């Protein structure tokens, strides 16, 4: 069964562009939230084990992963409040282990193709963030005071600098310490500006700990705004690329609540007059 979507994008055309890969690499041992299974990998066939004529052989692998492991998108069925997901759908009556969720499954999500904006909180605060730091409406207002503001249909990505801790599981996950992230005022700022998706370089997007997942509920349940987590936003920050065209799409996992993604940011080549 095929699917198609109508796309209208207001974005300057350019023929010479830079493409930034915003996904973390997937390999055995990558950080994963305790609520989700770990990523694992093994070769199922090595070169030389099965031979074809003329000395030809092939290798293959098997991977196992959760839908919310590595760089991924939270679908609308990921979080519910009082048994309801976005649109008032009663998800508890429409789910099973074998078939997943029957409504608002991740396979129904359209590709994300939209103007994007990076908010680098480490630049905004002029220091590394700590687990005590949240990204709220005031920081967004300050950041966009001298930059193009998000418009309805845009994507906003938030860099906390936590992507630098990717290879240190305990520090990155912040299970015992907490981690910086967007707070409820920041989430409301994003929905007030009509974003269709938001992402961050942390494992949980919102400021943790957050026992009731207030930001997830506001974005996913109340407003249908997708959340992307565990992104690698350092490449954009290094080049000080704050505005770009954003592309990402989930795997077509029927019944899924989330999916790995490989998001890309496409930006014009830098010029000497480009503002920083």
């Amino acid at each position: 069964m095929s699917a198609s979507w109508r796309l209208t994008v207001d974005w300057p055309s350019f023929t010479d562009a830079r493409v930034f890969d915003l996904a973390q690499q997937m390999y055995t041992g990558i950080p994963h939230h305790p609520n989700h299974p770990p990523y694992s990998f093994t070769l199922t066939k090595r070169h030389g084990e099965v031979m074809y004529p003329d000395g030809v052989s092939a290798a293959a692998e098997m991977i196992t992963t959760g839908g919310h492991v590595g760089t991924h998108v939270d679908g609308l069925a990921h979080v519910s409040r009082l048994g309801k997901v976005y649109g008032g759908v009663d998800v508890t009556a429409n789910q099973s282990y074998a078939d997943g969720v029957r409504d608002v499954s991740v396979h129904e999500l359209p590709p994300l193709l939209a103007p994007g904006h990076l908010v680098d909180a480490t630049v905004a605060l002029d220091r590394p963030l700590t687990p005590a730091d949240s990204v709220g409406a005031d920081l967004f207002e300050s950041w966009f005071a001298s930059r193009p503001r998000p418009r309805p249909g845009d994507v906003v990505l938030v860099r906390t600098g936590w992507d630098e801790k990717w290879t240190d599981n305990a520090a990155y996950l912040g299970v015992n310490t907490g981690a910086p992230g967007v707070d409820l005022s920041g989430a409301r700022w994003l929905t007030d500006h009509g974003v269709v998706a938001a992402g961050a370089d942390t494992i949980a997007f919102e400021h943790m700990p957050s026992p009731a997942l207030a930001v997830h509920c506001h974005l996913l349940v109340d407003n249908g705004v997708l959340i992307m987590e565990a992104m690698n936003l350092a490449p954009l920050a290094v080049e000080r690329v704050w505005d770009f065209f954003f592309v990402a799409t989930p795997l077509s996992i029927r019944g899924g609540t989330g999916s790995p993604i490989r998001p890309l940011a496409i930006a014009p080549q830098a010029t000497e007059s480009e503002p920083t």
Side-chain angles (χ1 to χ4, degrees):
M1 181 176 180
S2 63
S4 63
W5 298 272
R6 183 178 298 277
L7 174 67
T8 301
V9 175
D10 181 14
W11 184 258
S13 61
F14 46 84
T15 57
D16 191 14
R18 294 172 288 172
V19 179
F20 297 86
D21 186 350
L22 308 183
Q24 297 285 4
Q25 288 187 3
M26 302 188 78
Y27 53 87
T28 302
I30 61 172
H32 67 96
H33 193 279
N35 288 343
H36 302 289
Y39 170 86
S40 63
F41 171 101
T42 184
L43 285 181
T44 57
K45 184 174 66 171
R46 298 185 301 175
H47 286 286
E49 291 181 344
V50 177
M51 298 302 299
Y52 299 91
D54 300 324
V56 175
S57 68
E61 66 280 301
M62 177 177 68
I63 62 173
T64 60
T65 188
H68 301 268
V69 177
T71 304
H72 66 275
V73 61
D74 289 349
L76 299 180
H78 179 45
V79 173
S80 66
R81 185 197 292 117
L82 300 177
K84 303 293 181 64
V85 295
Y86 179 65
V89 174
D90 183 356
V91 72
T92 60
N94 294 282
Q95 61 180 342
S96 69
Y97 283 111
D99 297 325
V101 292
R102 299 176 195 170
D103 298 294
V104 297
S105 163
V106 72
H107 84 273
E108 298 176 353
L109 294 179
L112 281 171
L113 299 98
H117 311 272
L118 175 67
V119 176
D120 193 332
T122 68
V123 172
L125 298 177
D126 195 27
R127 61 172 174 80
L129 270 65
T130 72
D133 289 312
S134 61
V135 178
D138 290 346
L139 190 147
F140 284 135
E141 276 296 322
S142 174
W143 180 265
F144 287 109
S146 58
R147 297 179 174 88
R149 297 172 73 86
R151 297 186 297 177
D154 286 7
V155 171
V156 172
L157 308 179
V158 180
R159 182 171 186 263
T160 67
W162 233 238
D163 45 13
E164 296 177 352
K165 303 179 185 294
W166 178 254
T167 57
D168 184 340
N169 283 17
Y172 181 77
L173 294 174
V175 174
N176 297 319
T177 62
V182 175
D183 65 20
L184 189 55
S185 75
R188 288 171 173 159
W189 190 95
L190 293 170
T191 55
D192 285 346
H193 286 76
V195 304
V196 295
D201 54 358
T202 59
I203 199 71
F205 183 78
E206 66 185 283
H207 190 203
M208 297 298 288
S210 179
L213 296 177
V215 169
H216 275 68
C217 286
H218 178 77
L219 295 178
L220 293 172
V221 180
D222 297 338
N223 292 279
V225 174
L226 304 178
I227 297 173
M228 296 171 287
E229 295 165 326
M231 303 182 79
N232 177 21
L233 301 178
L236 289 174
V238 168
E239 296 294 325
R240 303 181 75 82
V241 174
W242 312 128
D243 303 288
F244 43 86
F245 188 75
F246 181 81
V247 178
T249 187
L251 300 177
S252 187
I253 303 172
R254 186 168 63 183
T257 68
S259 169
I261 56 173
R262 190 169 188 179
L264 304 174
I266 306 168
Q269 288 290 345
T271 62
E272 291 184 2
S273 59
E274 185 176 51
T276 59

mmCIF file with all atom_site columns, all heavy atoms in Angstrom, residues 224-237:
data_model
loop_
_atom_site.group_PDB
_atom_site.id
_atom_site.type_symbol
_atom_site.label_atom_id
_atom_site.label_alt_id
_atom_site.label_comp_id
_atom_site.label_asym_id
_atom_site.label_entity_id
_atom_site.label_seq_id
_atom_site.pdbx_PDB_ins_code
_atom_site.Cartn_x
_atom_site.Cartn_y
_atom_site.Cartn_z
_atom_site.occupancy
_atom_site.B_iso_or_equiv
_atom_site.pdbx_formal_charge
_atom_site.auth_seq_id
_atom_site.auth_comp_id
_atom_site.auth_asym_id
_atom_site.auth_atom_id
_atom_site.pdbx_PDB_model_num
ATOM 1  N N   . GLY A 1 224 ? 0.003  17.495 18.954 1.00 0.00 ? 224 GLY A N   1
ATOM 2  C CA  . GLY A 1 224 ? 0.413  16.697 17.803 1.00 0.00 ? 224 GLY A CA  1
ATOM 3  C C   . GLY A 1 224 ? 1.742  17.120 17.212 1.00 0.00 ? 224 GLY A C   1
ATOM 4  O O   . GLY A 1 224 ? 1.981  16.946 16.004 1.00 0.00 ? 224 GLY A O   1
ATOM 5  N N   . VAL A 1 225 ? 2.620  17.664 18.041 1.00 0.00 ? 225 VAL A N   1
ATOM 6  C CA  . VAL A 1 225 ? 3.948  18.079 17.604 1.00 0.00 ? 225 VAL A CA  1
ATOM 7  C C   . VAL A 1 225 ? 4.934  16.950 17.869 1.00 0.00 ? 225 VAL A C   1
ATOM 8  O O   . VAL A 1 225 ? 5.066  16.484 19.004 1.00 0.00 ? 225 VAL A O   1
ATOM 9  C CB  . VAL A 1 225 ? 4.397  19.368 18.331 1.00 0.00 ? 225 VAL A CB  1
ATOM 10 C CG1 . VAL A 1 225 ? 5.840  19.712 17.981 1.00 0.00 ? 225 VAL A CG1 1
ATOM 11 C CG2 . VAL A 1 225 ? 3.468  20.519 17.967 1.00 0.00 ? 225 VAL A CG2 1
ATOM 12 N N   . LEU A 1 226 ? 5.629  16.507 16.849 1.00 0.00 ? 226 LEU A N   1
ATOM 13 C CA  . LEU A 1 226 ? 6.561  15.396 16.973 1.00 0.00 ? 226 LEU A CA  1
ATOM 14 C C   . LEU A 1 226 ? 7.815  15.811 17.733 1.00 0.00 ? 226 LEU A C   1
ATOM 15 O O   . LEU A 1 226 ? 8.241  16.973 17.680 1.00 0.00 ? 226 LEU A O   1
ATOM 16 C CB  . LEU A 1 226 ? 6.946  14.863 15.593 1.00 0.00 ? 226 LEU A CB  1
ATOM 17 C CG  . LEU A 1 226 ? 5.778  14.423 14.702 1.00 0.00 ? 226 LEU A CG  1
ATOM 18 C CD1 . LEU A 1 226 ? 6.295  13.962 13.353 1.00 0.00 ? 226 LEU A CD1 1
ATOM 19 C CD2 . LEU A 1 226 ? 4.971  13.335 15.381 1.00 0.00 ? 226 LEU A CD2 1
ATOM 20 N N   . ILE A 1 227 ? 8.418  14.832 18.413 1.00 0.00 ? 227 ILE A N   1
ATOM 21 C CA  . ILE A 1 227 ? 9.631  15.065 19.190 1.00 0.00 ? 227 ILE A CA  1
ATOM 22 C C   . ILE A 1 227 ? 10.742 14.169 18.649 1.00 0.00 ? 227 ILE A C   1
ATOM 23 O O   . ILE A 1 227 ? 10.547 12.958 18.485 1.00 0.00 ? 227 ILE A O   1
ATOM 24 C CB  . ILE A 1 227 ? 9.405  14.758 20.684 1.00 0.00 ? 227 ILE A CB  1
ATOM 25 C CG1 . ILE A 1 227 ? 8.362  15.706 21.269 1.00 0.00 ? 227 ILE A CG1 1
ATOM 26 C CG2 . ILE A 1 227 ? 10.709 14.851 21.465 1.00 0.00 ? 227 ILE A CG2 1
ATOM 27 C CD1 . ILE A 1 227 ? 7.948  15.355 22.694 1.00 0.00 ? 227 ILE A CD1 1
ATOM 28 N N   . MET A 1 228 ? 11.895 14.761 18.393 1.00 0.00 ? 228 MET A N   1
ATOM 29 C CA  . MET A 1 228 ? 13.076 13.998 17.969 1.00 0.00 ? 228 MET A CA  1
ATOM 30 C C   . MET A 1 228 ? 14.129 14.077 19.065 1.00 0.00 ? 228 MET A C   1
ATOM 31 O O   . MET A 1 228 ? 14.361 15.152 19.628 1.00 0.00 ? 228 MET A O   1
ATOM 32 C CB  . MET A 1 228 ? 13.616 14.547 16.654 1.00 0.00 ? 228 MET A CB  1
ATOM 33 C CG  . MET A 1 228 ? 12.638 14.381 15.494 1.00 0.00 ? 228 MET A CG  1
ATOM 34 S SD  . MET A 1 228 ? 13.153 15.247 13.989 1.00 0.00 ? 228 MET A SD  1
ATOM 35 C CE  . MET A 1 228 ? 12.831 16.969 14.471 1.00 0.00 ? 228 MET A CE  1
ATOM 36 N N   . GLU A 1 229 ? 14.763 12.954 19.341 1.00 0.00 ? 229 GLU A N   1
ATOM 37 C CA  . GLU A 1 229 ? 15.695 12.872 20.468 1.00 0.00 ? 229 GLU A CA  1
ATOM 38 C C   . GLU A 1 229 ? 17.001 12.222 20.044 1.00 0.00 ? 229 GLU A C   1
ATOM 39 O O   . GLU A 1 229 ? 17.082 11.559 19.011 1.00 0.00 ? 229 GLU A O   1
ATOM 40 C CB  . GLU A 1 229 ? 15.058 12.093 21.616 1.00 0.00 ? 229 GLU A CB  1
ATOM 41 C CG  . GLU A 1 229 ? 13.847 12.802 22.198 1.00 0.00 ? 229 GLU A CG  1
ATOM 42 C CD  . GLU A 1 229 ? 12.977 11.919 23.071 1.00 0.00 ? 229 GLU A CD  1
ATOM 43 O OE1 . GLU A 1 229 ? 12.868 10.703 22.784 1.00 0.00 ? 229 GLU A OE1 1
ATOM 44 O OE2 . GLU A 1 229 ? 12.391 12.451 24.040 1.00 0.00 ? 229 GLU A OE2 1
ATOM 45 N N   . ALA A 1 230 ? 18.028 12.424 20.884 1.00 0.00 ? 230 ALA A N   1
ATOM 46 C CA  . ALA A 1 230 ? 19.363 11.850 20.670 1.00 0.00 ? 230 ALA A CA  1
ATOM 47 C C   . ALA A 1 230 ? 19.936 12.272 19.315 1.00 0.00 ? 230 ALA A C   1
ATOM 48 O O   . ALA A 1 230 ? 20.572 11.478 18.615 1.00 0.00 ? 230 ALA A O   1
ATOM 49 C CB  . ALA A 1 230 ? 19.332 10.329 20.803 1.00 0.00 ? 230 ALA A CB  1
ATOM 50 N N   . MET A 1 231 ? 19.755 13.536 18.971 1.00 0.00 ? 231 MET A N   1
ATOM 51 C CA  . MET A 1 231 ? 20.278 14.049 17.714 1.00 0.00 ? 231 MET A CA  1
ATOM 52 C C   . MET A 1 231 ? 21.725 14.494 17.883 1.00 0.00 ? 231 MET A C   1
ATOM 53 O O   . MET A 1 231 ? 22.176 14.819 18.985 1.00 0.00 ? 231 MET A O   1
ATOM 54 C CB  . MET A 1 231 ? 19.429 15.221 17.219 1.00 0.00 ? 231 MET A CB  1
ATOM 55 C CG  . MET A 1 231 ? 17.961 14.887 17.037 1.00 0.00 ? 231 MET A CG  1
ATOM 56 S SD  . MET A 1 231 ? 16.983 16.277 16.404 1.00 0.00 ? 231 MET A SD  1
ATOM 57 C CE  . MET A 1 231 ? 17.422 16.185 14.659 1.00 0.00 ? 231 MET A CE  1
ATOM 58 N N   . ASN A 1 232 ? 22.443 14.514 16.772 1.00 0.00 ? 232 ASN A N   1
ATOM 59 C CA  . ASN A 1 232 ? 23.818 15.020 16.762 1.00 0.00 ? 232 ASN A CA  1
ATOM 60 C C   . ASN A 1 232 ? 23.801 16.409 16.131 1.00 0.00 ? 232 ASN A C   1
ATOM 61 O O   . ASN A 1 232 ? 23.850 16.547 14.911 1.00 0.00 ? 232 ASN A O   1
ATOM 62 C CB  . ASN A 1 232 ? 24.728 14.075 15.970 1.00 0.00 ? 232 ASN A CB  1
ATOM 63 C CG  . ASN A 1 232 ? 26.153 14.595 15.880 1.00 0.00 ? 232 ASN A CG  1
ATOM 64 O OD1 . ASN A 1 232 ? 26.573 15.411 16.694 1.00 0.00 ? 232 ASN A OD1 1
ATOM 65 N ND2 . ASN A 1 232 ? 26.889 14.135 14.891 1.00 0.00 ? 232 ASN A ND2 1
ATOM 66 N N   . LEU A 1 233 ? 23.715 17.422 16.970 1.00 0.00 ? 233 LEU A N   1
ATOM 67 C CA  . LEU A 1 233 ? 23.578 18.791 16.475 1.00 0.00 ? 233 LEU A CA  1
ATOM 68 C C   . LEU A 1 233 ? 24.897 19.546 16.437 1.00 0.00 ? 233 LEU A C   1
ATOM 69 O O   . LEU A 1 233 ? 24.942 20.703 16.010 1.00 0.00 ? 233 LEU A O   1
ATOM 70 C CB  . LEU A 1 233 ? 22.558 19.535 17.341 1.00 0.00 ? 233 LEU A CB  1
ATOM 71 C CG  . LEU A 1 233 ? 21.165 18.893 17.372 1.00 0.00 ? 233 LEU A CG  1
ATOM 72 C CD1 . LEU A 1 233 ? 20.237 19.682 18.287 1.00 0.00 ? 233 LEU A CD1 1
ATOM 73 C CD2 . LEU A 1 233 ? 20.588 18.776 15.973 1.00 0.00 ? 233 LEU A CD2 1
ATOM 74 N N   . ALA A 1 234 ? 25.966 18.888 16.857 1.00 0.00 ? 234 ALA A N   1
ATOM 75 C CA  . ALA A 1 234 ? 27.274 19.542 16.861 1.00 0.00 ? 234 ALA A CA  1
ATOM 76 C C   . ALA A 1 234 ? 27.715 19.999 15.469 1.00 0.00 ? 234 ALA A C   1
ATOM 77 O O   . ALA A 1 234 ? 28.312 21.080 15.347 1.00 0.00 ? 234 ALA A O   1
ATOM 78 C CB  . ALA A 1 234 ? 28.314 18.614 17.489 1.00 0.00 ? 234 ALA A CB  1
ATOM 79 N N   . PRO A 1 235 ? 27.498 19.232 14.397 1.00 0.00 ? 235 PRO A N   1
ATOM 80 C CA  . PRO A 1 235 ? 27.950 19.704 13.079 1.00 0.00 ? 235 PRO A CA  1
ATOM 81 C C   . PRO A 1 235 ? 27.377 21.061 12.696 1.00 0.00 ? 235 PRO A C   1
ATOM 82 O O   . PRO A 1 235 ? 28.085 21.899 12.128 1.00 0.00 ? 235 PRO A O   1
ATOM 83 C CB  . PRO A 1 235 ? 27.467 18.603 12.128 1.00 0.00 ? 235 PRO A CB  1
ATOM 84 C CG  . PRO A 1 235 ? 27.419 17.372 12.974 1.00 0.00 ? 235 PRO A CG  1
ATOM 85 C CD  . PRO A 1 235 ? 26.965 17.855 14.326 1.00 0.00 ? 235 PRO A CD  1
ATOM 86 N N   . LEU A 1 236 ? 26.108 21.294 13.006 1.00 0.00 ? 236 LEU A N   1
ATOM 87 C CA  . LEU A 1 236 ? 25.522 22.609 12.726 1.00 0.00 ? 236 LEU A CA  1
ATOM 88 C C   . LEU A 1 236 ? 26.126 23.684 13.609 1.00 0.00 ? 236 LEU A C   1
ATOM 89 O O   . LEU A 1 236 ? 26.412 24.800 13.157 1.00 0.00 ? 236 LEU A O   1
ATOM 90 C CB  . LEU A 1 236 ? 24.010 22.564 12.939 1.00 0.00 ? 236 LEU A CB  1
ATOM 91 C CG  . LEU A 1 236 ? 23.174 21.797 11.925 1.00 0.00 ? 236 LEU A CG  1
ATOM 92 C CD1 . LEU A 1 236 ? 21.720 21.738 12.388 1.00 0.00 ? 236 LEU A CD1 1
ATOM 93 C CD2 . LEU A 1 236 ? 23.265 22.434 10.546 1.00 0.00 ? 236 LEU A CD2 1
ATOM 94 N N   . ALA A 1 237 ? 26.326 23.357 14.890 1.00 0.00 ? 237 ALA A N   1
ATOM 95 C CA  . ALA A 1 237 ? 26.846 24.343 15.830 1.00 0.00 ? 237 ALA A CA  1
ATOM 96 C C   . ALA A 1 237 ? 28.272 24.756 15.465 1.00 0.00 ? 237 ALA A C   1
ATOM 97 O O   . ALA A 1 237 ? 28.625 25.942 15.557 1.00 0.00 ? 237 ALA A O   1
ATOM 98 C CB  . ALA A 1 237 ? 26.805 23.778 17.247 1.00 0.00 ? 237 ALA A CB  1
#
